[in-house]
Amino acid sequence: MAETIRGWLHGKDVLITGGTGYFGKGLIEKLLRTTEVRRIYLIIRSKRDLSPETRWQQVCQNLVFERLRSERPDAFSKVAVLDGDVAEKGLGLSDRDRRELCENVAVVFHAAACVRFDDPLSSAILLNVRGTKELLDLAKSMKKLECFQYVSTAYSTPKLNDEKIGEVLYPQQYDWRTLIDIAEREDNLMNLLQHKIITVYPNTYTFSKCVAENMVAQIKENLPVVILRPSVVVGSLQEPEPGWIDNLNGPAGILCGMGAGVLRVFRCQPETFLDIVPIDIAVNAMIVSAWATKHKRTEKLPVYNCTYGDTFQATFEELREIGEKITPVLPVNNDLWYPFACLTANTYYLHFLFYTLQVLPAWFVDSLLIILRKEPRLTKLNIRIYKAMNALKYFSCQQFEFDNTNYKSIFNLIPSEEREIFDLKFKEVTKSELLVIYGKGLKKFILHEKDEDLDNVILLILVLIVMENSLQNSKKMAETIRGWLHGKDVLITGGTGYFGKGLIEKLLRTTEVRRIYLIIRSKRDLSPETRWQQVCQNLVFERLRSERPDAFSKVAVLDGDVAEKGLGLSDRDRRELCENVAVVFHAAACVRFDDPLSSAILLNVRGTKELLDLAKSMKKLECFQYVSTAYSTPKLNDEKIGEVLYPQQYDWRTLIDIAEREDNLMNLLQHKIITVYPNTYTFSKSIAENMVAQIKENLPVVILRPSVVVGSLQEPEPGWIDNLNGPIGILCGIGTGVLRVSRCQPETFLDMVPIDVVVNAMIVSAWVTKHKRTEKLPVYNCTYGDTFQTTYEELREIGEAIAPELPVNNDLWYPFVYYANNPYYLHFLFYTLQVLPAWFVDSLLIILRKEPRLTKLNIRIYKAMNALKYFSCQQIEFDNTNYKS
């Protein structure tokens, strides 16, 4: 007769990894309650300043051990906690602990893993692959070893066709040694390229599990190894108590979300089902397959698909129908709405439903919370739900089937007297009964609720059903812009620039902001405070000084530099910003077209990232605005440039890394890098936009793209200008007689927007972002080419006409200008009308013993014409539908 399972385990020492996880807790409880193992070793790492022993004591308080505490309270003394970390080399164990394990352990259950789908690839490789290798290496020195069990997942193989996933190892194109080496030395590079590496795998978890399986097969040598692949592990059917659950995976999460009224839309193929296995069956499978490996040794590595899709099938549609029926009978406390859910796999219909049934109610509830001065939370929760749906769509939108022939073959090996103790069969239970079991388990083990208030909660659900009908008639009062800004703290970068000065003046003159923080760097031996005092003397503030002279006291200058890591801010200033700031206007930028690429990347890209990282810690943040440019996208065809993000071939992380380490090399190759972009400014702005979209997470971010910003129309005074960009530069050059030849297409026009209009757009778009939250990142092209068009030819004619009436002092020549786009004609004109007169005048200056200057000036004019030809020699048009809305 075969040795019984409990007889085999009697007096043995067992090692379990992942003992604080779902598998681990279930396995420990089962072994301590039903067997006479001598000792259970647990490798537990310190976490959040908690020692391994403290963490184990916390685990012991889990309700899963309630039955064990009652039946065998002394069993806990069999557990020995070792200070270690499976993700570390050598498992983080001391030499003494390693020796003890090698002397005593007979069975290893390796269940520790990175199980989050969004874990970085390097983390998944180091824990799931290298950690398994380290444990296997240790197992080779275990003198009493009888079984090494690797707990994988049934989804370790991607579904590439309609065939069942077999109980075999599927080859991997990557060598595990190479992956571990890259994860150890180039973790950032690996994470950067992870989507290129995992290819057909839906996430880093399943990919790393497949790699680990192949590695186990290669290096196991003569070890008695077994691989167990459970499918989706859900709550218990019987042990230690029906419904014991430790997470919200699978149908439990759907049931809980529906019951709480939080999940009203779910992405799935309604007629498909999820292959599930209850945790108590999975734990029994771990023990039985380990025992079978000891008593049924084969040359071939045994692989068991612990799946039950051929035994129990409940489609998503059935789960929804049953869930809607039983949740009013088993309601959860603090539910948000009465239970129902819509299921769809159609992307367009999904987004319509999600916006209607999830986002709009979330905005409504969050608005009420804000009015009650409580923290809004539903919008953020819905963002997490949306991300989770996308992560799970690989599993919920297609049908997976598994071959479990090998696994079922061990059912009959279980000794008859132990088949009830280590039951592997999915007992006959209806779908409704199963969901009731899980509903009760959720209330007890996850939500920690009692049944005393059941009648009150049922009454609340009936009230919510009535409220559902009246919700559509409720309307939310719009908050005024000045009302929104009243008493708020604002952070502005680029405060000494054109945008910055205009925005500061407008906010101080027309709103009641509480404080404006400015990040200003020292420059030419001038402190930030001194530079701000100089800015205050600018004529733009003349009206403010007259109308509200005390307003300047609201400005707080911080010593920092957006181009530096950490923004160059002190810890004290960072804390102050995180505590107070509600609105961020990020306008600082390298705006010169001839700036080195490394400088543009460090300020325009890394600086934006640093500011976004800081914004994630701002407790009161309501809007983060990134001021870009309408020209951040190169004109590649005759289409209008849209209010969308255009993909970039370069990854922003790589560019920042090169700019930090190899700035000279980057600048040397910048023309090869920027390719279709006319300059480093527009290129870096495009990179920054894509980066913002990738890392914004749940931040309320908006991108504003002004075109060519020119002088003010009205505020603070008509004609206020702080630079010579666009038509103002042409007008000034013509007026002084310096510009007599310009490179452009005379019949084209430049899209321009007055600075006061841009400043208003910055404020309004920030307000709209706060009050009109969308999942999609809002992008606004602040352009007016469809409203106001003045061609270069018209500018020339008008300029020549008004220049005599508005002459400038120190003009050099009678005002006129020639336009040319043909390179040969341009160079002829430039030589004749710019270079020869410059040589003549400079020769006179030399004779008079004065410094010659016109030749140098013409060289700068020539370089500027070449830099601007991209914009002046072709017509660029923009779509501004979102902006006009």
Side-chain angles (χ1 to χ4, degrees), residues 568-797:
L569 294 170
S570 67
D571 291 339
R572 177 181 172 280
D573 289 341
R574 292 178 72 89
R575 285 194 297 271
E576 185 172 353
L577 293 175
C578 291
E579 288 294 328
N580 300 321
V581 169
V583 186
V584 177
F585 294 101
H586 178 35
C590 270
V591 296
R592 289 170 56 95
F593 288 175
D594 58 352
D595 272 324
L597 180 56
S598 61
S599 300
I601 292 295
L602 293 181
L603 177 51
N604 297 350
V605 184
R606 187 182 70 181
T608 303
K609 177 190 178 295
E610 294 286 343
L611 194 62
L612 267 172
D613 289 342
L614 179 64
K616 291 173 184 176
S617 301
M618 292 178 178
K619 300 177 181 178
K620 301 178 180 178
L621 188 70
E622 297 181 4
C623 178
F624 181 104
Q625 181 179 96
Y626 177 58
V627 182
S628 185
T629 170
Y631 298 94
S632 61
T633 299
K635 178 178 168 65
L636 301 178
N637 50 43
D638 291 332
E639 294 181 2
K640 291 182 179 181
I641 293 175
E643 292 171 297
V644 295
L645 294 179
Y646 290 82
Q648 254 290 344
Q649 61 174 315
Y650 295 102
D651 184 83
W652 57 270
R653 301 174 190 83
T654 305
L655 291 172
I656 291 175
D657 184 54
I658 297 172
E660 290 175 342
R661 296 189 296 110
E662 299 288 350
D663 56 332
N664 291 331
L665 177 62
M666 170 172 272
N667 298 333
L668 182 65
L669 298 174
Q670 71 180 37
H671 294 295
K672 298 285 188 182
I673 297 173
I674 67 176
T675 57
V676 294
Y677 290 82
N679 49 61
T680 58
Y681 169 65
T682 55
F683 173 78
S684 59
K685 282 292 188 179
S686 176
I687 295 289
E689 286 185 0
N690 280 269
M691 178 200 66
V692 167
Q694 289 179 34
I695 70 171
K696 73 179 184 72
E697 296 178 358
N698 297 326
L699 288 185
V701 175
V702 58
I703 294 177
L704 185 71
R705 292 175 175 167
S707 54
V708 177
V709 183
V710 294
S712 63
L713 271 180
Q714 295 176 314
E715 296 183 290
E717 180 182 341
W720 172 61
I721 188 71
D722 198 29
N723 58 66
L724 293 177
N725 294 338
I728 298 300
I730 300 172
L731 188 62
C732 187
I734 295 172
T736 57
V738 171
L739 185 65
R740 315 179 81 185
V741 178
S742 181
R743 185 170 198 166
C744 69
Q745 198 72 265
E747 66 276 9
T748 62
F749 63 87
L750 201 60
D751 194 301
M752 57 187 187
V753 51
I755 181 62
D756 48 343
V757 175
V758 173
V759 166
N760 288 341
M762 293 172 71
I763 297 170
V764 172
S765 61
W767 170 78
V768 169
T769 302
K770 163 64 173 68
H771 293 83
K772 186 185 173 185
R773 292 291 295 274
T774 61
E775 178 66 25
K776 187 177 179 182
L777 172 63
V779 178
Y780 300 118
N781 284 345
C782 177
T783 59
Y784 287 82
D786 57 338
T787 305
F788 182 85
Q789 300 174 0
T790 303
T791 66
Y792 287 100
E793 181 60 30
E794 290 172 328
L795 283 174
R796 182 189 65 79
E797 293 173 355

Side-chain angles (χ1 to χ4, degrees), residues 373-424:
R373 301 199 172 183
K374 295 184 178 181
E375 184 182 2
R377 54 199 177 100
L378 281 190
T379 302
K380 291 181 180 178
L381 176 62
N382 273 283
I383 292 171
R384 290 199 295 272
I385 289 173
Y386 184 80
K387 289 181 177 179
M389 283 199 304
N390 281 334
L392 292 169
K393 66 181 180 181
Y394 175 85
F395 307 95
S396 60
C397 291
Q398 60 179 334
Q399 187 61 66
F400 283 84
E401 294 185 74
F402 304 92
D403 177 20
N404 57 4
T405 307
N406 293 345
Y407 175 60
K408 284 192 168 181
S409 70
I410 64 174
F411 287 19
N412 296 326
L413 299 179
I414 304 172
S416 57
E417 64 270 30
E418 293 183 324
R419 287 183 181 173
E420 188 172 334
I421 300 172
F422 300 105
D423 189 11
L424 295 183

Side-chain angles (χ1 to χ4, degrees), residues 251-270:
I254 301 173
L255 185 63
C256 186
M258 285 176 56
V262 172
L263 184 65
R264 314 179 83 181
V265 179
F266 185 69
R267 184 172 202 161
C268 68
Q269 202 69 262

Side-chain angles (χ1 to χ4, degrees), residues 501-529:
K501 289 196 282 278
L503 179 61
I504 294 166
E505 195 277 339
K506 179 77 175 187
L507 289 174
L508 292 178
R509 182 168 51 80
T510 64
T511 74
E512 293 298 334
V513 292
R514 189 178 78 96
R515 184 178 290 112
I516 296 178
Y517 290 100
L518 302 179
I519 298 177
I520 301 179
R521 64 188 173 96
S522 300
K523 188 176 182 182
R524 301 192 192 96
D525 297 325
L526 297 178
S527 68
E529 192 62 48

Side-chain angles (χ1 to χ4, degrees), residues 794-865:
E794 290 172 328
L795 283 174
R796 182 189 65 79
E797 293 173 355
I798 296 169
E800 289 181 2
I802 68 171
E805 300 174 18
L806 289 171
V808 297
N809 298 338
N810 302 316
D811 54 341
L812 184 68
W813 206 259
Y814 175 79
F816 74 92
V817 67
Y818 285 94
Y819 290 146
N821 186 27
N822 183 286
Y824 303 106
Y825 184 47
L826 172 79
H827 286 90
F828 168 75
L829 289 175
F830 195 83
Y831 183 80
T832 307
L833 300 177
Q834 300 265 168
V835 177
L836 288 179
W839 285 349
F840 176 75
V841 174
D842 278 354
S843 298
L844 292 178
L845 290 173
I846 291 171
I847 292 170
L848 296 173
R849 300 194 176 185
K850 294 184 179 181
E851 185 182 1
R853 53 196 179 105
L854 282 189
T855 302
K856 291 181 180 178
L857 177 60
N858 274 282
I859 291 172
R860 289 201 295 273
I861 290 173
Y862 183 79
K863 289 181 178 179
M865 282 198 306

Side-chain angles (χ1 to χ4, degrees), residues 407-470:
Y407 175 60
K408 284 192 168 181
S409 70
I410 64 174
F411 287 19
N412 296 326
L413 299 179
I414 304 172
S416 57
E417 64 270 30
E418 293 183 324
R419 287 183 181 173
E420 188 172 334
I421 300 172
F422 300 105
D423 189 11
L424 295 183
K425 294 183 179 179
F426 210 120
K427 74 170 188 176
E428 291 187 7
V429 58
T430 67
K431 297 161 188 176
S432 297
E433 289 171 340
L434 183 69
L435 287 192
V436 169
I437 290 172
Y438 288 161
K440 291 180 177 179
L442 284 168
K443 287 174 64 66
K444 178 175 181 177
F445 297 105
I446 297 294
L447 304 175
H448 306 291
E449 295 178 359
K450 299 178 180 179
D451 294 333
E452 285 82 352
D453 299 325
L454 195 60
D455 291 341
N456 292 334
V457 179
I458 292 175
L459 178 61
L460 176 60
I461 287 181
L462 296 176
V463 173
L464 290 173
I465 292 174
V466 174
M467 287 178 61
E468 170 78 5
N469 297 324
S470 61

